[in-house]
Amino acid sequence: MSETAIGQAVGARQSTINRIKRGDMVPNWETGKALVDLATQPAANDDTVEAA
């Protein structure tokens, strides 16, 4: 995912995602939780996820 797409998914600006990625800042609790949730959700095209 692009930094812009990640930012849109978690409600943050691309520049914020870039600073977090570079280690220049630590996300606030809400953004951090949203990033963890995004990272741990199955991908839409993941073949290991069975359709409901």
Side-chain angles (χ1 to χ4, degrees):
M1 288 181 83
S2 69
E3 291 176 357
T4 301
I6 293 168
Q8 289 172 344
V10 301
R13 296 185 323 227
Q14 175 274 329
S15 59
T16 300
I17 301 302
N18 183 268
R19 285 194 301 273
I20 294 167
K21 182 176 122 180
R22 289 190 329 244
D24 291 342
M25 73 174 288
V26 176
N28 63 27
W29 190 89
E30 292 83 9
T31 302
K33 179 165 181 358
L35 287 167
V36 169
D37 291 345
L38 180 64
T40 58
Q41 71 182 1
N45 62 354
D46 187 349
D47 291 338
T48 63
V49 177
E50 295 182 24

